[in-house]
Amino acid sequence: MAESMKKKRSFDLSMELIVGATLLIVILLSALFAHQLFPDGVDKIDLLSRLTPPFAKPEHPLGSDPLGRDVLARVVAGGRISLLIGVTSVIGAVTLGVTIGLIAGFYRGITDMLMMRFVDIQLALPFILLAITFIAILGGSLINTIILLIVSQWVQYARLVRGQVLALRDREFILAARAIGVKDWRIIVQHLLPNLTGPVIVLMTLNVANNILLESSLTFLGMGVDPTIPTWGGMLAEGRSYLQTAWWVSVFPGLAIMLTVLGLNLLGDWMRDQLDPTGKTSL
Amino acid sequence: MKESSSDASSLIRVENLTVAFGAEKVVEDLSFSVRSGQTLAIVGESGSGKSVTSLSILRLADISGAHYLGGRILFESTKGEQDLLALSQQEMRAIRGKEIAMIFQEPMTSLNPVFTIGDQIAEVLQLHEGMARKEALAEGVKLLKMVRLADAESIIGRYPHQLSGGMRQRVMIAMALACRPKLLIADEPTTALDVTIQAQILAILRDLKDSLDMGIIFITHDMGVVAEMADDVVVMRKGHKVEEQPVEAIFTNPQHLYTQTLLSAVPKLGAMNGEDFPKRLPVSVYDEAGAHTEGELRVQNTANYEAAPLVRVEDLVVRFNVKKNFLGRPTHRVHAVEEISLDIYPGETLALVGESGSGKSTIGRTIQQLQESQAGNITFNGKRFADMGRGEKRALRQKIQYIFQDPYASLDPRKTVGFSIAEPIRTHGILHDQELIEKRVSELLDRVGLSASHGRRYPHEFSGGQRQRICIARALASDPELIIADEALSALDVSVQAQIINLFMDLQEERGLSYLFISHDMAVVEQISHRVAVLYLGQIVEFGSRRQVFENPTHSYTQNLLAAVPIADPHQRIMMAINEADIPSPIRAVGNEPARLSHREVAPGHLVANQ
């Protein structure tokens, strides 16, 4: 039975890897080389051909927006900021949240109490309130948007990881490591961290999509990046008022977000399976 | 052997049952039958298919993905004879719990923690018997009295966590018997319980079988329990029935080689009478090639009592706070260890025996510095813990190693076993060169009977016995002087257990290791240890050489403990008046200190607590 399970797993694993990685590489490369792919310009306004439907004119294969800008070019270019914000903010939040969750869960006591009270306070604070305060003090910019997203989201990871650590720290293999005399930081890095990657990866992939959309609401409120720079979230918001007449303005950036999240999910699943030698799916 | 299978008066007849999970057949061509008033024991080691058989009778196996490839299970239900395999899950639900009931190994997880005992018993009666709630609760009290729970009226209002393990298992039996089932399936019902509690539960089951005239299918790995309970025995191995005989015949005249080796591997209490030292016994191993004997018989005279003790424990006290008042001051404490003193000499195996709550594991954990003590001293090689610096205490974890009960739980599932074995070497900087570390790991794997290539695999790829060997290899890696084995054999099958006992003894002979052997299994302790300390509620009630304690048990608790051990011989059933009392809880209110026992020396080195 073990033999057959293993075979099945390695098949699934390669499918997830191939599809997920291909999707992400295509999206990433086209975003990076958007200006080479579309030398005519991503921001070129052509009011004469505004709101061209898709597949109607060869110069606008996916149609054009209310200002006559090419939807395809903007979707491709929009990936730059959206991916940058989505991915870096999640990586930042994971690094901060996982570290604090590990320390709080492992050492318990006063460290844990102080950290978790702080986490609770922040969780109780509405995001918009935090965002307005933050941007009002520091001003809106790409870096500040990323920092804001990190600050608002690390708490989720801290809570999640702390809970996992509390369950793991009394398991016998952690006790066994202590009995051997393994130093605390090695127990944390070598034994605890690898055993809690599953749920963290799942939360990460979900949050990338979330952050791409949050960026657009920040831009909408005038707090995010420069509104003239194309982003998926921004395009989605712009296209909303034309949904009845020109669906393509918002559907294509939405599709781009969906494919990115799908790619990340597949890759995340693959990574989780890779990290778990038993091949059991936990969460 | 064939006659019983075709007996017309049988309550349930399993005919040529074959069960598979995926492509793998876990039970193949199995037949047996049970009459009313008969107890059939199904015995086998892990992977024998005994539990799948019982789950198939209840049709619970197909819910978790099993397929029935063939055979019939004919049950004499109130509606006449029915083939359980042909029924729908809907129809099965009317039989489950009403006509066939089951009790499981773990009584805590089988009871729902958020409902009272009364709620849960009443639910069964309301569902199957259509009783009103009030009526059902009254019947519940009767049922609890039937399983000899003295205070039934108050227990009915309590929650599962407020009861001890033995009480919970009795509640489970009461629930199983609520609808007066014709057939009771008991799957390892006493494995998680202490021996004295096990003896109580077995006695209750035996009496109820007679008074209710039910058939019992008793699934167990413990030959002692088989001898105690069964009328007939089915021995299973790897999904096949290898032998079926009445209980006397199984023990006196086992036909199949496998049954013979299984019986020879069971340590028998009293087998070491007249021996001064523990003995390494040859083990018979059964594999596809047949049975053969491995290893030599050797007297284990390794203990050096002339030398200074390796470890000296003096007046150790360990308590845990369990309840606090609103100011955060403790109001109740677990008195896990109360002024215990003992020495461990080089090359000696000192056994700590006792039931749950006796503090035996806490002593081990305190010596391993996994637990803080409140008072007392521990000395290692002449140096007190209290006088040691941080570095010295850390170095001590090289000299003392700990082996846990569950080898699977004590290995990191995400690390190769090679990594786990190398961990003590790296941690204490014994070797630095990667190649030398790998070489050492291969040697260790080889020493415990595995091969070097196993180091690249993960814990889930091994069997229970192999995993415990890995844990032993890890313990040896730092070249320790003392190994604390905390119930290290209890999770293993008997045949594997016999091999691991010998491995422990061989290593002791080679390296002069000392063991602190913590166990509840009296027969194993009798075979392996030089000296024995019997613990009860955190205090030593009897302490002496193995021979003194086992051949001349003087304290009444030691006598009870020995009498409650089921012997693998149907002619030696437990005849003592079963003590109905539960093991008292070691939790006490602050200020209510337990009385300290004083000891008298009945023979040189044989200490007994005054009663």
Side-chain angles (χ1 to χ4, degrees), chain A residues 179-201:
Chain A
I180 289 167
V182 181
K183 291 197 171 91
D184 286 354
W185 68 268
R186 276 187 80 96
I187 294 183
I188 292 174
V189 175
Q190 299 258 21
H191 295 289
L192 287 174
L193 192 58
N195 276 289
L196 45 81
T197 44
V200 170
I201 287 174

Short mmCIF file of all heavy atoms in Angstrom, two decimals, chain A residues 179-201:
data_model
loop_
_atom_site.label_atom_id
_atom_site.label_comp_id
_atom_site.label_asym_id
_atom_site.label_seq_id
_atom_site.Cartn_x
_atom_site.Cartn_y
_atom_site.Cartn_z
N ALA A 179 15.93 16.44 25.94
CA ALA A 179 16.62 15.45 26.78
C ALA A 179 18.05 15.24 26.27
O ALA A 179 18.95 14.98 27.05
CB ALA A 179 15.86 14.13 26.77
N ILE A 180 18.25 15.35 24.97
CA ILE A 180 19.58 15.19 24.41
C ILE A 180 20.45 16.39 24.76
O ILE A 180 21.67 16.29 24.82
CB ILE A 180 19.48 15.02 22.87
CG1 ILE A 180 18.90 13.66 22.54
CG2 ILE A 180 20.82 15.19 22.19
CD1 ILE A 180 18.47 13.52 21.10
N GLY A 181 19.82 17.53 25.00
CA GLY A 181 20.58 18.72 25.32
C GLY A 181 20.67 19.69 24.16
O GLY A 181 21.51 20.59 24.15
N VAL A 182 19.83 19.53 23.17
CA VAL A 182 19.83 20.43 22.01
C VAL A 182 19.47 21.85 22.47
O VAL A 182 18.57 22.02 23.28
CB VAL A 182 18.83 19.94 20.94
CG1 VAL A 182 18.85 20.86 19.73
CG2 VAL A 182 19.13 18.52 20.54
N LYS A 183 20.23 22.83 21.95
CA LYS A 183 19.98 24.22 22.37
C LYS A 183 18.62 24.70 21.86
O LYS A 183 18.15 24.26 20.82
CB LYS A 183 21.07 25.11 21.82
CG LYS A 183 22.42 24.87 22.46
CD LYS A 183 23.36 26.06 22.18
CE LYS A 183 24.63 25.96 22.99
NZ LYS A 183 25.71 25.26 22.30
N ASP A 184 18.05 25.65 22.62
CA ASP A 184 16.70 26.13 22.31
C ASP A 184 16.55 26.58 20.86
O ASP A 184 15.60 26.20 20.18
CB ASP A 184 16.33 27.31 23.23
CG ASP A 184 16.03 26.83 24.64
OD1 ASP A 184 16.00 25.60 24.85
OD2 ASP A 184 15.82 27.68 25.52
N TRP A 185 17.48 27.42 20.39
CA TRP A 185 17.29 27.96 19.05
C TRP A 185 17.35 26.87 17.99
O TRP A 185 16.69 26.94 16.97
CB TRP A 185 18.29 29.09 18.77
CG TRP A 185 19.73 28.65 18.65
CD1 TRP A 185 20.64 28.59 19.66
CD2 TRP A 185 20.39 28.18 17.48
NE1 TRP A 185 21.83 28.11 19.19
CE2 TRP A 185 21.71 27.86 17.85
CE3 TRP A 185 19.99 28.00 16.15
CZ2 TRP A 185 22.64 27.37 16.94
CZ3 TRP A 185 20.92 27.52 15.24
CH2 TRP A 185 22.24 27.20 15.64
N ARG A 186 18.12 25.80 18.28
CA ARG A 186 18.18 24.69 17.32
C ARG A 186 16.88 23.89 17.34
O ARG A 186 16.42 23.42 16.31
CB ARG A 186 19.36 23.76 17.63
CG ARG A 186 20.65 24.23 17.03
CD ARG A 186 21.73 23.17 17.24
NE ARG A 186 21.61 22.11 16.24
CZ ARG A 186 22.33 22.08 15.11
NH1 ARG A 186 23.18 23.03 14.86
NH2 ARG A 186 22.19 21.10 14.26
N ILE A 187 16.30 23.74 18.53
CA ILE A 187 15.00 23.06 18.60
C ILE A 187 13.98 23.84 17.79
O ILE A 187 13.22 23.29 17.00
CB ILE A 187 14.52 22.93 20.07
CG1 ILE A 187 15.45 22.00 20.85
CG2 ILE A 187 13.09 22.40 20.12
CD1 ILE A 187 15.04 21.75 22.28
N ILE A 188 14.02 25.18 17.95
CA ILE A 188 13.06 26.02 17.24
C ILE A 188 13.26 25.91 15.73
O ILE A 188 12.32 25.69 14.98
CB ILE A 188 13.18 27.48 17.71
CG1 ILE A 188 12.70 27.60 19.17
CG2 ILE A 188 12.39 28.42 16.81
CD1 ILE A 188 12.90 28.96 19.79
N VAL A 189 14.51 26.03 15.29
CA VAL A 189 14.78 26.08 13.85
C VAL A 189 14.70 24.69 13.21
O VAL A 189 14.11 24.51 12.15
CB VAL A 189 16.15 26.73 13.58
CG1 VAL A 189 16.47 26.67 12.10
CG2 VAL A 189 16.14 28.17 14.06
N GLN A 190 15.28 23.70 13.90
CA GLN A 190 15.39 22.38 13.27
C GLN A 190 14.14 21.52 13.45
O GLN A 190 13.86 20.67 12.62
CB GLN A 190 16.57 21.60 13.88
CG GLN A 190 17.89 22.28 13.69
CD GLN A 190 18.67 21.62 12.57
OE1 GLN A 190 18.10 20.96 11.72
NE2 GLN A 190 19.97 21.82 12.56
N HIS A 191 13.46 21.67 14.57
CA HIS A 191 12.36 20.75 14.84
C HIS A 191 10.99 21.41 14.78
O HIS A 191 10.06 20.82 14.25
CB HIS A 191 12.56 20.09 16.20
CG HIS A 191 13.77 19.20 16.26
ND1 HIS A 191 13.83 18.01 15.60
CD2 HIS A 191 14.95 19.35 16.87
CE1 HIS A 191 15.02 17.45 15.80
NE2 HIS A 191 15.72 18.25 16.58
N LEU A 192 10.87 22.60 15.36
CA LEU A 192 9.54 23.22 15.35
C LEU A 192 9.20 23.78 13.98
O LEU A 192 8.15 23.48 13.42
CB LEU A 192 9.47 24.34 16.40
CG LEU A 192 9.41 23.88 17.85
CD1 LEU A 192 9.48 25.06 18.80
CD2 LEU A 192 8.12 23.10 18.11
N LEU A 193 10.09 24.59 13.42
CA LEU A 193 9.80 25.28 12.17
C LEU A 193 9.38 24.33 11.05
O LEU A 193 8.34 24.54 10.43
CB LEU A 193 11.01 26.14 11.78
CG LEU A 193 10.79 27.14 10.65
CD1 LEU A 193 9.68 28.11 10.99
CD2 LEU A 193 12.08 27.91 10.38
N PRO A 194 10.14 23.26 10.78
CA PRO A 194 9.73 22.38 9.67
C PRO A 194 8.38 21.72 9.91
O PRO A 194 7.72 21.33 8.96
CB PRO A 194 10.83 21.31 9.63
CG PRO A 194 11.97 21.88 10.36
CD PRO A 194 11.41 22.80 11.39
N ASN A 195 7.97 21.59 11.17
CA ASN A 195 6.72 20.89 11.44
C ASN A 195 5.50 21.78 11.39
O ASN A 195 4.39 21.31 11.60
CB ASN A 195 6.81 20.19 12.80
CG ASN A 195 7.49 18.84 12.68
OD1 ASN A 195 6.92 17.91 12.13
ND2 ASN A 195 8.72 18.77 13.15
N LEU A 196 5.69 23.09 11.16
CA LEU A 196 4.50 23.93 11.08
C LEU A 196 4.39 24.64 9.74
O LEU A 196 3.62 25.58 9.60
CB LEU A 196 4.44 24.90 12.27
CG LEU A 196 5.68 25.68 12.70
CD1 LEU A 196 5.89 26.89 11.81
CD2 LEU A 196 5.54 26.09 14.13
N THR A 197 5.14 24.18 8.76
CA THR A 197 5.10 24.86 7.46
C THR A 197 3.75 24.72 6.75
O THR A 197 3.33 25.66 6.08
CB THR A 197 6.17 24.28 6.53
OG1 THR A 197 6.14 22.88 6.65
CG2 THR A 197 7.54 24.81 6.87
N GLY A 198 3.08 23.58 6.90
CA GLY A 198 1.83 23.33 6.17
C GLY A 198 0.81 24.45 6.27
O GLY A 198 0.51 25.13 5.28
N PRO A 199 0.28 24.72 7.47
CA PRO A 199 -0.72 25.76 7.61
C PRO A 199 -0.20 27.14 7.22
O PRO A 199 -0.96 27.95 6.69
CB PRO A 199 -1.08 25.73 9.10
CG PRO A 199 -0.53 24.47 9.63
CD PRO A 199 0.51 23.98 8.72
N VAL A 200 1.09 27.41 7.48
CA VAL A 200 1.64 28.73 7.16
C VAL A 200 1.62 28.94 5.64
O VAL A 200 1.24 30.01 5.16
CB VAL A 200 3.07 28.88 7.72
CG1 VAL A 200 3.73 30.14 7.18
CG2 VAL A 200 3.04 28.92 9.23
N ILE A 201 1.98 27.90 4.89
CA ILE A 201 1.99 28.03 3.44
C ILE A 201 0.57 28.28 2.91
O ILE A 201 0.36 29.12 2.05
CB ILE A 201 2.60 26.77 2.79
CG1 ILE A 201 4.11 26.78 3.02
CG2 ILE A 201 2.31 26.72 1.30
CD1 ILE A 201 4.82 25.54 2.55
#
